[in-house]
Amino acid sequence: MAMGFFEPPWGDETAVKEDAHWVRGYAPKGQTPILEHPARWTTLSMISAISPRGEIAFEIVEGSIHAERFIAFLEKLITGAPRKVFLVVDNLRVHHAKVVSAWLADKQDRIELVFLPPYAPESNPDEYLNRDFKTALRTGPMSTDTQSLLEKATTFMNGLRQLPEKVARYFHHPVARYAMLDI
């Protein structure tokens, strides 16, 4: 799937889970309450990239984001890109992995990673997308299995793709304004 990427993108990864649901219940004194919702399933993760123009690319995968998955996402970002992609990322260990550096070595004319300062997540506009994403996952009925959680997550992200003005507003946060383009 070519993402037909844009410029300049900011990227980030996040876990896909509904762990903030407060499930309340009661049981007779001395008996343990039983939760009727499963607490854990297979881990899902999302990697995304956004632009100040409101463009978005994302991928939701089973398991965590490791170097090979990050490389696969980068490959999709540069496929069909008309010019070099400068992807702004945080300092996640995966971004600095030797295998990632080796993959990037012969693609210097097509893609470059630009690193944000350490411990500055608020300066990455994609973090504001993650906040909205996790809030959306925690609204409505709780998912009952991995597939329903995946569908809920994908529905939100595909809907967000149709709202470029909302995505562009992530760049309006006072700490992320530096990333806005003059468009």
Side-chain angles (χ1 to χ4, degrees):
M1 167 180 89
M3 295 188 190
F5 225 110
F6 44 84
E7 60 180 307
W10 274 256
D12 200 27
E13 302 81 11
T14 192
V16 179
K17 55 186 177 179
E18 299 172 301
D19 61 350
H21 275 284
W22 293 98
V23 179
R24 295 180 186 258
Y26 300 93
K29 187 173 184 176
Q31 294 182 17
T32 303
I34 298 172
L35 295 176
E36 294 187 20
H37 296 285
R40 298 233 178 230
W41 311 297
T42 307
T43 302
L44 295 176
S45 300
M46 180 179 73
I47 184 168
S48 60
I50 62 174
S51 83
R53 290 187 174 94
E55 297 152 313
I56 185 169
F58 74 94
E59 192 167 47
I60 299 173
V61 297
E62 197 167 310
S64 59
I65 302 296
H66 49 67
E68 291 76 19
R69 286 191 170 140
F70 182 58
I71 290 170
F73 186 75
L74 297 178
E75 184 66 51
K76 291 175 185 175
L77 288 180
I78 63 174
T79 299
R83 59 187 146 277
K84 185 174 181 175
V85 173
F86 293 89
L87 178 64
V88 182
V89 293
D90 57 19
N91 285 281
L92 184 66
R93 178 175 282 165
V94 167
H95 301 156
H96 294 282
K98 289 180 182 178
V99 67
V100 172
S101 297
W103 183 85
L104 290 166
D106 67 344
K107 294 166 188 63
Q108 294 174 353
D109 60 328
R110 299 178 62 207
I111 187 166
E112 182 177 332
L113 299 183
V114 179
F115 295 97
L116 289 166
Y119 310 109
E122 67 281 351
S123 63
N124 185 347
D126 206 354
E127 290 284 357
Y128 302 104
L129 177 149
N130 291 344
R131 180 194 60 206
D132 282 354
F133 175 71
K134 289 183 177 191
T135 299
L137 291 181
R138 293 173 181 134
T139 60
M142 188 170 183
S143 301
T144 57
D145 57 23
T146 302
Q147 185 59 38
S148 62
L149 179 59
L150 176 61
E151 289 170 10
K152 191 175 189 181
T154 303
T155 297
F156 173 80
M157 292 302 292
N158 283 331
L160 191 58
R161 255 192 192 141
Q162 305 305 312
L163 301 169
E165 64 284 349
K166 181 174 182 170
V167 175
R169 282 195 300 268
Y170 297 139
F171 291 81
H172 290 226
H173 188 280
V175 184
R177 281 180 107 53
Y178 76 92
M180 287 178 51
L181 295 176
D182 291 327
I183 53 176

